[in-house]
Short mmCIF file of all heavy atoms in Angstrom, two decimals:
data_model
loop_
_atom_site.label_atom_id
_atom_site.label_comp_id
_atom_site.label_asym_id
_atom_site.label_seq_id
_atom_site.Cartn_x
_atom_site.Cartn_y
_atom_site.Cartn_z
N THR A 160 -27.73 18.29 -30.70
CA THR A 160 -26.73 18.73 -29.72
C THR A 160 -25.87 17.55 -29.26
O THR A 160 -24.65 17.67 -29.15
CB THR A 160 -27.42 19.37 -28.49
OG1 THR A 160 -28.17 20.51 -28.92
CG2 THR A 160 -26.39 19.80 -27.45
N ILE A 161 -26.53 16.41 -29.01
CA ILE A 161 -25.80 15.22 -28.59
C ILE A 161 -24.85 14.76 -29.68
O ILE A 161 -23.67 14.47 -29.44
CB ILE A 161 -26.79 14.09 -28.23
CG1 ILE A 161 -27.60 14.47 -26.98
CG2 ILE A 161 -26.04 12.77 -27.99
CD1 ILE A 161 -28.78 13.55 -26.72
N GLY A 162 -25.36 14.69 -30.91
CA GLY A 162 -24.54 14.24 -32.03
C GLY A 162 -23.34 15.14 -32.27
O GLY A 162 -22.21 14.66 -32.44
N LEU A 163 -23.58 16.45 -32.27
CA LEU A 163 -22.48 17.39 -32.49
C LEU A 163 -21.46 17.33 -31.36
O LEU A 163 -20.25 17.45 -31.58
CB LEU A 163 -23.03 18.82 -32.63
CG LEU A 163 -23.74 19.15 -33.94
CD1 LEU A 163 -24.36 20.55 -33.88
CD2 LEU A 163 -22.78 19.05 -35.11
N GLY A 164 -21.97 17.13 -30.12
CA GLY A 164 -21.07 17.03 -28.97
C GLY A 164 -20.13 15.86 -29.10
O GLY A 164 -18.94 15.95 -28.76
N LEU A 165 -20.64 14.73 -29.60
CA LEU A 165 -19.79 13.55 -29.78
C LEU A 165 -18.80 13.74 -30.91
O LEU A 165 -17.62 13.41 -30.79
CB LEU A 165 -20.67 12.32 -30.06
CG LEU A 165 -21.57 11.85 -28.91
CD1 LEU A 165 -22.47 10.71 -29.38
CD2 LEU A 165 -20.74 11.40 -27.71
N VAL A 166 -19.28 14.31 -32.02
CA VAL A 166 -18.43 14.49 -33.19
C VAL A 166 -17.31 15.50 -32.92
O VAL A 166 -16.19 15.36 -33.42
CB VAL A 166 -19.27 14.94 -34.41
CG1 VAL A 166 -18.37 15.35 -35.57
CG2 VAL A 166 -20.19 13.81 -34.85
N LYS A 167 -17.62 16.53 -32.11
CA LYS A 167 -16.65 17.58 -31.84
C LYS A 167 -15.73 17.27 -30.67
O LYS A 167 -14.79 18.03 -30.41
CB LYS A 167 -17.37 18.91 -31.58
CG LYS A 167 -18.05 19.50 -32.81
CD LYS A 167 -18.72 20.83 -32.47
CE LYS A 167 -19.35 21.47 -33.70
NZ LYS A 167 -20.01 22.76 -33.36
N ASN A 168 -15.99 16.19 -29.94
CA ASN A 168 -15.16 15.86 -28.79
C ASN A 168 -13.81 15.33 -29.28
O ASN A 168 -13.75 14.28 -29.93
CB ASN A 168 -15.83 14.80 -27.92
CG ASN A 168 -15.12 14.60 -26.60
OD1 ASN A 168 -13.94 14.29 -26.56
ND2 ASN A 168 -15.84 14.77 -25.51
N PRO A 169 -12.71 16.04 -29.00
CA PRO A 169 -11.41 15.64 -29.55
C PRO A 169 -10.95 14.26 -29.07
O PRO A 169 -10.20 13.58 -29.77
CB PRO A 169 -10.46 16.74 -29.08
CG PRO A 169 -11.14 17.38 -27.92
CD PRO A 169 -12.60 17.27 -28.19
N MET A 170 -11.38 13.85 -27.87
CA MET A 170 -10.96 12.53 -27.39
C MET A 170 -11.60 11.43 -28.23
O MET A 170 -10.94 10.45 -28.60
CB MET A 170 -11.32 12.36 -25.91
CG MET A 170 -10.47 13.20 -24.98
SD MET A 170 -10.67 12.81 -23.22
CE MET A 170 -12.28 13.51 -22.89
N ILE A 171 -12.89 11.58 -28.56
CA ILE A 171 -13.56 10.59 -29.41
C ILE A 171 -12.97 10.62 -30.81
O ILE A 171 -12.72 9.57 -31.41
CB ILE A 171 -15.08 10.87 -29.45
CG1 ILE A 171 -15.70 10.55 -28.09
CG2 ILE A 171 -15.76 10.05 -30.54
CD1 ILE A 171 -17.19 10.78 -28.02
N VAL A 172 -12.74 11.82 -31.34
CA VAL A 172 -12.16 11.95 -32.68
C VAL A 172 -10.79 11.30 -32.74
O VAL A 172 -10.48 10.55 -33.67
CB VAL A 172 -12.08 13.44 -33.09
CG1 VAL A 172 -11.30 13.59 -34.40
CG2 VAL A 172 -13.47 14.04 -33.24
N ALA A 173 -9.95 11.58 -31.73
CA ALA A 173 -8.58 11.03 -31.71
C ALA A 173 -8.61 9.50 -31.64
O ALA A 173 -7.86 8.82 -32.36
CB ALA A 173 -7.80 11.60 -30.53
N MET A 174 -9.46 8.95 -30.77
CA MET A 174 -9.54 7.49 -30.65
C MET A 174 -10.06 6.86 -31.94
O MET A 174 -9.53 5.85 -32.40
CB MET A 174 -10.44 7.11 -29.47
CG MET A 174 -9.82 7.40 -28.10
SD MET A 174 -10.80 6.75 -26.72
CE MET A 174 -12.27 7.79 -26.78
N THR A 175 -11.10 7.47 -32.53
CA THR A 175 -11.68 6.93 -33.76
C THR A 175 -10.67 6.94 -34.90
O THR A 175 -10.49 5.94 -35.61
CB THR A 175 -12.93 7.73 -34.16
OG1 THR A 175 -13.87 7.71 -33.08
CG2 THR A 175 -13.57 7.15 -35.41
N LEU A 176 -10.00 8.08 -35.09
CA LEU A 176 -9.00 8.18 -36.16
C LEU A 176 -7.84 7.21 -35.93
O LEU A 176 -7.32 6.62 -36.88
CB LEU A 176 -8.47 9.61 -36.25
CG LEU A 176 -9.45 10.67 -36.77
CD1 LEU A 176 -8.81 12.05 -36.75
CD2 LEU A 176 -9.92 10.33 -38.18
N GLY A 177 -7.46 7.04 -34.67
CA GLY A 177 -6.39 6.10 -34.35
C GLY A 177 -6.75 4.67 -34.72
O GLY A 177 -5.95 3.95 -35.32
N PHE A 178 -7.99 4.26 -34.38
CA PHE A 178 -8.41 2.90 -34.71
C PHE A 178 -8.58 2.72 -36.22
O PHE A 178 -8.33 1.63 -36.74
CB PHE A 178 -9.71 2.56 -33.97
CG PHE A 178 -9.50 2.24 -32.52
CD1 PHE A 178 -10.19 2.93 -31.53
CD2 PHE A 178 -8.61 1.25 -32.13
CE1 PHE A 178 -10.00 2.64 -30.19
CE2 PHE A 178 -8.41 0.95 -30.78
CZ PHE A 178 -9.10 1.65 -29.81
N ILE A 179 -9.03 3.77 -36.92
CA ILE A 179 -9.12 3.69 -38.38
C ILE A 179 -7.72 3.52 -38.98
O ILE A 179 -7.50 2.70 -39.87
CB ILE A 179 -9.80 4.97 -38.95
CG1 ILE A 179 -11.28 4.99 -38.56
CG2 ILE A 179 -9.64 5.03 -40.47
CD1 ILE A 179 -12.00 6.26 -38.94
N TRP A 180 -6.77 4.29 -38.46
CA TRP A 180 -5.38 4.20 -38.93
C TRP A 180 -4.84 2.78 -38.72
O TRP A 180 -4.23 2.19 -39.59
CB TRP A 180 -4.52 5.21 -38.18
CG TRP A 180 -3.14 5.40 -38.73
CD1 TRP A 180 -2.08 4.53 -38.64
CD2 TRP A 180 -2.66 6.53 -39.47
NE1 TRP A 180 -0.98 5.05 -39.26
CE2 TRP A 180 -1.30 6.27 -39.78
CE3 TRP A 180 -3.22 7.73 -39.88
CZ2 TRP A 180 -0.51 7.17 -40.48
CZ3 TRP A 180 -2.43 8.62 -40.59
CH2 TRP A 180 -1.10 8.35 -40.89
N SER A 181 -5.14 2.26 -37.52
CA SER A 181 -4.71 0.89 -37.20
C SER A 181 -5.38 -0.12 -38.11
O SER A 181 -4.74 -1.06 -38.59
CB SER A 181 -5.02 0.59 -35.74
OG SER A 181 -4.79 -0.77 -35.43
N GLY A 182 -6.70 0.07 -38.32
CA GLY A 182 -7.44 -0.86 -39.17
C GLY A 182 -6.95 -0.89 -40.60
O GLY A 182 -7.00 -1.94 -41.27
N LEU A 183 -6.48 0.24 -41.10
CA LEU A 183 -5.95 0.31 -42.46
C LEU A 183 -4.52 -0.21 -42.55
O LEU A 183 -3.94 -0.26 -43.63
CB LEU A 183 -6.00 1.76 -42.97
CG LEU A 183 -7.40 2.36 -43.16
CD1 LEU A 183 -7.32 3.84 -43.50
CD2 LEU A 183 -8.17 1.59 -44.23
#
Side-chain angles (χ1 to χ4, degrees):
T160 300
I161 293 169
L163 287 174
L165 293 175
V166 171
K167 290 181 178 180
N168 190 303
M170 289 190 286
I171 290 181
V172 172
M174 289 187 292
T175 303
L176 291 177
F178 283 125
I179 291 174
W180 191 287
S181 172
L183 294 173

